[in-house]
Amino acid sequence: MKISYNWLQNFFEKKLPDAEKLADLLTMHSFEIESFEKNGNDFVFDAKILPNMAHHCLSHKGVASEISAILAIPMKTASVSLKDAPVGKTSSKLEIDVSDSNLCRRYVGRIIENVEIKPSPKWLKDRLESIGQKPINNIVDAANFVMFEIGQPMHAFDLDKLNSENGVVKIAVKNASAEDSITTLDGKSVVLDENTLIISNGKNPLAIAGIKGGNFAEIGKTTKNIIIESANFAPSLIRRTSRRLNILTDSSKRFENEISPEKALKAMEMMTSLVMETARGENTIIGDICDFYPQKIIQSKIEISLREINNLLGTDIKSSEVEEIFQRLNFDFETKKGGENFSVTIPFDRLDIKIKADLIEEIARIYGYEKIKEQKISSVAKPISINKSFYYKNKIRNFLAKNGFSEVYTYTFTDKGEMEMENPIASDKNFLRANLKDGIKKSLDFNLHYADLLGLEQIKIFEIGKIFKDGRETDYLAVGIMNSPAFKGGKEGDEIKNISDALSKDLEVSIKWEFSENGIAEIDFEKLIESLPTPESYEDIKIERYDVERLKYRKISPYPFVLRDIAVFVPQGVEENDVASIIEKKAGNLLVNKKLFDVFVKKFPDGTSKTSFAFRLVFQSQEKTLSDEEINKIMEKVSKSLNGNEGWQVR
Amino acid sequence: MDNEEKLGHIHPLTRVIRRTNEIFSEMGFSLIDGPEIETEHYNFDALNIPKDHPARDMWDTFWLKPKSKSEIRNTKSPPVAPERSDGGRGETNSKLEIQNSKLLLRTHTSPVQIRYMENNKPPLRIISVGKTFRYEATDATHEAQFHQVEGLLVDKNANLSNLKYVIREFFEKFFEEKIELRLRPSYFPFVEPGVEIDISCFKCGGDKCSVCKQSGWIEVMGAGMVHPEVLKNVGLDPKDWKGFAFGAGVDRLAMLKYGVDDIRLFYTGDLRLTNQF
């Protein structure tokens, strides 16, 4: 929600701390201020109001009440001065008929006649614009102001567009019928159904209750007489309806988060005062308040003891401190048993405070989480249970890694399988994988492209993860091998067999792959370990190197890599490393990998023997695609340097 | 080629998960698994996140087509028995509710709390690590599949200051640096009070750097005291038992620890990533 700093300031006599400090205080004690920015001579905060704070904080007054509690400073009841306006005798009368008081818990209506529709005064426009709202006209703006000031959505209808009988205008709050449709204020036509609660007049739907007004009785330039609505609708109804119709509004957001029906009347009074200030004509008459409110809300009380508070927080907060916090939060309370117990009356607005723990949270956040000291937990009460599955997964991981296999995690989502999602993230990711082998195959193909970059002649990988088939989820293990053309060893299938035999020996269990073809094999991991004993500790699956070596990721370059081979004859006694270090030094940091791929000794006619070392060099930049020219230059430098040694000769 | 180069590599997420388990097992937490396919009941309702409540918006969910449901119910999955062992009040209703519950991909590892508490008596200390799913667009910091670590301690006198201790211990061991915690009010329906936990930047120690986005703090975890409603849901009396729970993103921890800049790299099966570890 957008919050204006200046708007908040209007609730206080005292100057508030600067915007940055205020953002920090709110974040540490109330809710997260995700960002704030300067807006003329104002600042606008973007607050992340989660459902527990949404009952009272989707409004400037609610936020001001938080500031009042955090800073322990008094606040005014409104950010504007409001005047009482006398009620007169209107020519029309309002009648409200609510069909279900579970869905519409309160409906406050009022007629005001002979208003003057015009642009709002500057202060009102400024307020709305400060939080990104577009001013429309004085009535609509006043309604919006009330919503952003105290959190009560308001609505106004043009009275003269409605049917009346003998001067009585009937407003019904009822479920729509299947044939109904409505054109909303933004011109969209919406088909209604029996599950949609509407505000209607005769046969005409005027608004989708609590969500969006219709254009039938829209306030316009020619409007003279108006009906103002300040109502309270059931949160789950509004949530369901707005989701079903896909209409999310500032109003629906407040209702679905639930607001107290107690607000409705206060909001009507505020609205009336604003109408009289901004739209008063010569003969403006304020009608009686029509208030449908069959089940008045009773304020709840929570009994809590000092002990309960300190036990849950692990603190030593004193009775007097708790009292002070309640005062700052503006909670009425009684102290009992000499300060040991409290009976706290919960303000209507604070629908989030239902149980003791809720109240303890209030105390904790105003007291300050930073003041809560650490307390050690007792040493282990009972020995941990060893997770057999976890143990063997990691034992197998270690084994495979020792044998040259690298671990991959592939996607659970795929385009075929047995279990399908109702709402896939993409049309080719609509199923849960029914095997690991497809993912392994993809990964093998992918990595083979990078074999030189990786310095590998074989891609050897494995994955352990859940698959979804035969109506259940099961842990599977898959391994895969793919040889590059340069690889001179045995076939993939033979190697799978070898590793399988070795693993079988290591685990002391027989391994029968469920699938094994073309260098990919997979098996039900749960069955594999079924007969194995549960270990007594995790001792032998520790990762070595975790603590000793600080691993740091080096960014993967998005640019292509370039290969160059270089071979050099060197006199006997010169080692591979001697050649390699010169190459490394001269090639610079664009050289990302190098591999010796050929060594042989040749006898020359002069009787000397020389060794040939052939390296494959891989070049890649983090910043750009390397050109041949650039690489050629580097290679020249390398060759020159190698040739500069006595008896060395680049072939 | 020397021996070192012939070795394969362990995925960075596995490394983080193992280290996490090591640290918590030293503090007496047992590692517990839970299913990736969950029921609406365990993923939401039992965690005090009712249907049609705005809190549901905090977890964008993948729902499974009903076809798979009947199949699932007749098999041994989910691996942890959903039925209550204590035969508490309202059991018939809750069983029915569970059976009629829609299937989804778990959006967090928190259902494991419920499954475990239903079948094990306190005092208890568990963590759970596993794959979770969120229906959301992917970018460098968001993935539709990711991993979470969840922790739960239930005891006679567990309190918020204990939570602070456990979490600080964990992060200091994990990042191998001195760490300070900062708790901020937040909201998760299954805890009360609920907090967001920031750690002082392990890189700059609070001096502000690129890792902590110039704030000195890094948001790493959600936590709180187990909501009495959750305890009641598993047949525990909140008067006798208190607990705290916490959850963090494994991927995020790995990204922070190793400096990986894109969460999606973890799931592309790319050895250019794995082979750096």
Side-chain angles (χ1 to χ4, degrees):
Chain A
M1 190 185 70
K2 296 240 183 302
I3 303 166
S4 150
Y5 178 89
N6 288 351
W7 193 327
L8 292 175
Q9 178 66 68
N10 279 298
F11 281 97
F12 299 95
E13 297 286 354
K14 209 175 157 181
K15 176 88 188 87
L16 293 177
D18 64 48
E20 186 174 357
K21 176 77 186 152
L22 199 61
D24 194 46
L25 286 170
L26 286 168
T27 295
M28 295 314 294
H29 297 280
S30 302
F31 42 75
E32 191 179 348
I33 300 294
E34 289 183 305
S35 64
F36 68 94
E37 54 182 32
K38 201 164 165 31
N39 179 21
N41 64 352
D42 195 5
F43 282 90
V44 185
F45 302 103
D46 195 358
K48 186 173 167 187
I49 313 271
L50 294 172
N52 64 328
M53 296 298 257
H55 311 293
H56 78 297
C57 280
L58 289 177
S59 70
H60 281 78
K61 186 175 179 179
V63 177
S65 74
E66 288 295 313
I67 294 169
S68 165
I70 297 166
L71 295 172
I73 54 171
M75 67 181 279
K76 302 183 223 168
T77 51
S79 73
V80 284
S81 58
L82 300 169
K83 289 185 206 90
D84 280 341
V87 175
K89 198 167 164 43
T90 50
S91 51
S92 299
K93 256 195 79 177
L94 185 62
E95 250 183 52
I96 293 159
D97 178 21
V98 174
S99 65
D100 186 346
S101 63
N102 289 319
L103 301 180
C104 175
R105 308 190 287 199
R106 189 171 193 180
Y107 196 104
V108 182
R110 163 175 266 171
I111 288 173
I112 302 181
E113 290 176 345
N114 300 318
V115 295
E116 272 181 22
I117 306 295
K118 55 188 176 188
S120 295
K122 186 170 182 302
W123 73 264
L124 181 52
K125 280 189 187 166
D126 285 351
R127 286 281 176 92
L128 293 176
E129 279 172 344
S130 75
I131 53 168
Q133 295 291 317
K134 201 174 135 214
I136 298 182
N137 59 46
N138 48 0
I139 302 296
V140 175
D141 294 352
N144 275 331
F145 176 85
V146 173
M147 175 167 67
F148 293 111
E149 166 92 357
I150 63 171
Q152 169 70 53
M154 306 291 289
H155 205 77
F157 303 105
D158 186 333
L159 175 67
D160 300 316
K161 305 249 173 78
L162 308 188
N163 292 323
S164 69
E165 271 175 57
N166 306 323
V168 175
V169 179
K170 287 186 180 166
I171 293 280
V173 183
K174 60 173 194 184
N175 288 63
S177 55
E179 306 89 59
D180 284 342
S181 71
I182 188 171
T183 303
T184 56
L185 286 170
D186 51 2
K188 268 190 241 152
S189 176
V190 179
V191 178
L192 306 170
D193 60 32
E194 292 96 332
N195 295 318
T196 312
L197 193 72
I198 55 167
I199 314 300
S200 75
N201 167 250
K203 281 188 174 166
N204 296 315
L206 305 180
I208 306 166
I211 298 173
K212 188 110 192 158
N215 69 358
F216 180 77
E218 184 179 357
I219 305 289
K221 278 181 192 147
T222 56
T223 301
K224 267 181 66 190
N225 305 311
I226 61 172
I227 297 175
I228 301 168
E229 162 194 304
S230 178
N232 190 285
F233 302 104
S236 57
L237 163 84
I238 298 300
R239 183 173 165 82
R240 277 196 307 268
T241 310
S242 80
R243 292 292 180 288
R244 193 174 62 244
L245 302 176
N246 198 21
I247 306 177
L248 306 176
T249 60
D250 285 319
S251 170
S252 72
K253 175 154 194 197
R254 282 159 181 81
F255 283 126
E256 75 163 51
N257 277 291
E258 194 169 15
I259 50 175
S260 170
E262 284 294 313
K263 263 188 189 165
L265 189 61
K266 284 181 199 131
M268 180 57 86
E269 280 157 5
M270 178 178 276
M271 177 78 187
T272 306
S273 171
L274 287 169
V275 169
M276 290 311 278
E277 188 191 328
T278 67
R280 185 172 200 161
E282 258 177 54
N283 302 308
T284 303
I285 307 168
I286 302 168
D288 286 327
I289 277 178
C290 236
D291 190 359
F292 170 84
Y293 189 22
Q295 266 186 300
K296 193 175 155 45
I297 304 291
I298 296 160
Q299 267 184 308
S300 63
K301 277 191 183 178
I302 295 176
E303 309 283 328
I304 197 165
S305 71
L306 190 61
R307 217 183 124 105
E308 285 167 325
I309 297 164
N310 282 320
N311 277 354
L312 195 69
L313 298 177
T315 48
D316 195 15
I317 303 177
K318 291 180 191 65
S319 183
S320 57
E321 289 175 292
V322 173
E323 283 185 28
E324 197 222 320
I325 290 168
F326 287 155
Q327 280 158 7
R328 284 161 66 174
L329 286 162
N330 209 13
F331 293 173
D332 285 334
F333 65 96
E334 281 173 59
T335 311
K336 295 177 179 172
K337 283 196 189 166
E340 277 306 304
N341 289 357
F342 304 92
S343 172
V344 187
T345 306
I346 308 304
F348 286 116
D349 256 5
R350 299 303 305 274
L351 297 167
D352 57 314
I353 306 175
K354 295 191 181 90
I355 58 171
K356 292 177 188 193
D358 297 326
L359 204 50
I360 295 173
E361 177 172 71
E362 293 300 297
I363 295 162
R365 66 187 183 88
I366 299 301
Y367 178 73
Y369 284 113
E370 73 282 359
K371 286 194 218 150
I372 298 176
K373 292 195 183 70
E374 254 181 36
Q375 235 173 78
K376 209 173 157 173
I377 50 169
S378 59
S379 48
V380 189
K382 49 186 175 188
I384 59 162
S385 61
I386 298 296
N387 185 315
K388 182 180 166 185
S389 164
F390 181 77
Y391 173 86
Y392 284 107
K393 279 175 190 165
N394 286 295
K395 196 173 163 71
I396 291 171
R397 284 181 172 119
N398 285 1
F399 175 85
L400 289 172
K402 262 195 197 110
N403 286 279
F405 287 79
S406 288
E407 185 179 19
V408 294
Y409 283 39
T410 65
Y411 279 102
T412 297
F413 303 133
T414 174
D415 59 354
K416 52 182 180 292
E418 293 175 15
M419 288 184 202
E420 195 175 357
M421 274 161 289
E422 262 178 21
N423 54 336
I425 202 127
S427 58
D428 62 343
K429 296 188 175 79
N430 49 344
F431 283 95
L432 303 181
R433 63 184 178 189
N435 62 56
L436 293 180
K437 67 178 161 58
D438 294 347
I440 289 287
K441 174 77 171 65
K442 256 190 213 161
S443 174
L444 286 172
D445 288 339
F446 178 88
N447 284 303
L448 195 66
H449 288 295
Y450 298 102
D452 285 314
L453 183 68
L454 293 161
L456 299 171
E457 287 178 352
Q458 269 185 307
I459 305 300
K460 294 163 75 173
I461 57 175
F462 71 96
E463 177 169 15
I464 301 174
K466 290 270 176 77
I467 67 154
F468 304 82
K469 70 168 187 183
D470 302 331
R472 59 182 296 250
E473 56 177 83
T474 315
D475 273 319
Y476 261 64
L477 160 69
V479 296
I481 303 174
M482 192 177 267
N483 295 339
S484 78
F487 183 67
K488 296 186 188 77
K491 285 210 179 88
E492 288 99 341
D494 296 339
E495 199 166 334
I496 292 276
K497 197 180 170 309
N498 292 341
I499 192 70
S500 173
D501 291 344
L503 179 62
S504 165
K505 213 171 140 197
D506 192 65
L507 292 176
E508 296 177 37
V509 71
S510 70
I511 297 178
K512 265 185 88 179
W513 299 102
E514 280 175 33
F515 172 92
S516 183
E517 259 175 56
N518 306 324
I520 298 175
E522 73 176 338
I523 188 169
D524 182 332
F525 169 83
E526 293 173 17
K527 266 192 205 147
L528 176 70
I529 65 159
E530 213 165 37
S531 63
L532 296 174
T534 301
E536 276 163 19
S537 86
Y538 295 123
E539 213 37 57
D540 59 331
I541 56 159
K542 285 205 163 169
I543 296 194
E544 305 106 24
R545 297 196 299 180
Y546 182 90
D547 296 319
V548 278
E549 195 182 318
R550 295 223 163 190
L551 293 164
K552 263 295 166 245
Y553 163 79
R554 191 168 173 271
K555 197 172 162 57
I556 295 170
S557 169
Y559 301 100
F561 62 90
V562 182
L563 297 179
R564 285 289 191 275
D565 290 347
I566 188 165
V568 58
F569 277 122
V570 295
Q572 292 287 63
V574 176
E575 302 279 339
E576 172 194 341
N577 272 349
D578 302 327
V579 181
S581 68
I582 293 175
I583 294 176
E584 234 166 69
K585 204 170 139 207
K586 290 293 159 190
N589 52 16
L590 291 176
L591 178 72
V592 291
N593 211 334
K594 58 168 196 336
K595 212 173 88 187
L596 180 71
F597 68 91
D598 193 32
V599 188
F600 65 90
V601 179
K602 187 179 171 183
K603 227 178 162 128
F604 284 81
D606 65 358
T608 58
S609 285
K610 285 191 177 179
T611 313
S612 165
F613 288 110
F615 286 89
R616 171 154 293 181
L617 310 184
V618 187
F619 294 92
Q620 192 180 35
S621 159
Q622 288 282 355
E623 280 115 33
K624 57 178 182 179
T625 300
L626 294 171
S627 68
D628 266 351
E629 224 169 275
E630 274 170 286
I631 303 302
N632 290 344
K633 254 189 208 154
I634 294 172
M635 291 308 290
E636 270 167 36
K637 237 167 70 183
V638 173
S639 296
K640 204 174 153 199
S641 178
L642 293 172
N643 282 331
N645 291 298
E646 178 77 41
W648 293 35
Q649 190 191 351
V650 173
R651 290 161 60 207
Chain B
M1 207 189 277
D2 62 21
N3 226 16
E4 182 75 5
E5 280 174 57
K6 277 188 199 148
L7 289 177
H9 302 263
I10 302 278
H11 197 281
L13 291 180
T14 299
R15 286 181 169 271
V16 167
I17 291 168
R18 285 185 180 188
R19 182 65 187 142
T20 300
N21 182 47
E22 275 173 19
I23 299 169
F24 279 112
S25 57
E26 281 163 20
M27 289 192 274
F29 289 75
S30 298
L31 178 70
I32 305 300
D33 295 325
E36 290 176 14
I37 292 184
E38 262 300 353
T39 61
E40 186 176 10
H41 171 81
Y42 280 103
N43 197 75
F44 290 124
D45 301 306
L47 287 162
N48 200 29
I49 314 167
K51 202 179 167 68
D52 293 325
H53 192 278
R56 286 262 177 124
D57 291 348
M58 294 163 70
W59 295 273
D60 292 318
T61 309
F62 283 107
W63 297 94
L64 290 177
K65 281 201 173 163
K67 181 178 153 266
S68 1
K69 187 170 162 182
S70 54
E71 291 164 0
I72 279 267
R73 207 189 294 148
N74 297 329
T75 64
K76 74 175 192 183
S77 179
V80 185
E83 283 84 13
R84 272 148 80 137
S85 50
D86 62 359
R89 202 154 45 93
E91 193 201 14
T92 328
N93 273 344
S94 76
K95 253 188 191 169
L96 199 71
E97 211 174 278
I98 291 165
Q99 285 187 359
N100 290 332
S101 197
K102 281 182 77 180
L103 291 176
L104 48 79
L105 293 176
R106 66 173 172 188
T107 59
H108 46 188
T109 40
S110 309
V112 179
Q113 289 184 27
I114 305 291
R115 290 180 175 279
Y116 190 78
M117 284 194 284
E118 281 178 339
N119 292 287
N120 295 274
K121 290 201 165 59
L124 51 90
R125 293 178 191 185
I126 59 161
I127 60 161
S128 187
V129 188
K131 208 184 262 180
T132 47
F133 305 85
R134 298 265 170 97
Y135 180 76
E136 61 184 12
T138 62
D139 60 29
T141 53
H142 297 88
E143 235 316 343
Q145 70 171 45
F146 57 102
H147 285 74
Q148 265 195 350
V149 53
E150 181 89 8
L152 171 73
L153 180 150
V154 178
D155 211 328
K156 295 268 180 210
N157 297 309
N159 61 41
L160 197 69
S161 67
N162 295 145
L163 168 71
K164 267 191 152 176
Y165 167 81
V166 168
I167 301 308
R168 203 247 327 121
E169 280 282 304
F170 168 70
F171 282 116
E172 285 198 346
K173 286 182 177 152
F174 184 81
F175 286 114
E176 302 161 85
E177 292 290 348
K178 185 134 186 54
I179 296 278
E180 269 180 61
L181 295 190
R182 189 172 82 165
L183 272 56
R184 290 183 279 115
S186 189
Y187 171 69
F188 308 96
F190 38 98
V191 289
E192 187 71 36
V195 292
E196 203 72 62
I197 297 180
D198 301 336
I199 55 171
S200 56
C201 184
F202 57 89
K203 183 94 179 278
C204 64
D207 287 345
K208 300 181 180 182
C209 67
S210 61
V211 172
C212 56
K213 293 185 199 133
Q214 314 301 327
S215 75
W217 297 96
I218 306 172
E219 185 177 328
V220 282
M221 188 176 256
M225 302 304 298
V226 179
H227 198 288
E229 216 43 56
V230 172
L231 294 172
K232 279 186 217 160
N233 285 346
V234 296
L236 295 177
D237 188 341
K239 281 203 193 74
D240 300 336
W241 298 101
K242 308 269 181 264
F244 59 77
F246 49 88
V250 170
D251 308 64
R252 178 153 166 76
L253 294 182
M255 289 169 83
L256 288 168
K257 175 135 186 97
Y258 302 124
V260 176
D261 56 357
D262 192 329
I263 187 173
R264 293 168 293 194
L265 281 172
F266 292 132
Y267 303 105
T268 44
D270 190 339
L271 293 187
R272 290 177 299 169
L273 173 81
T274 302
N275 286 11
Q276 294 190 37
F277 293 88

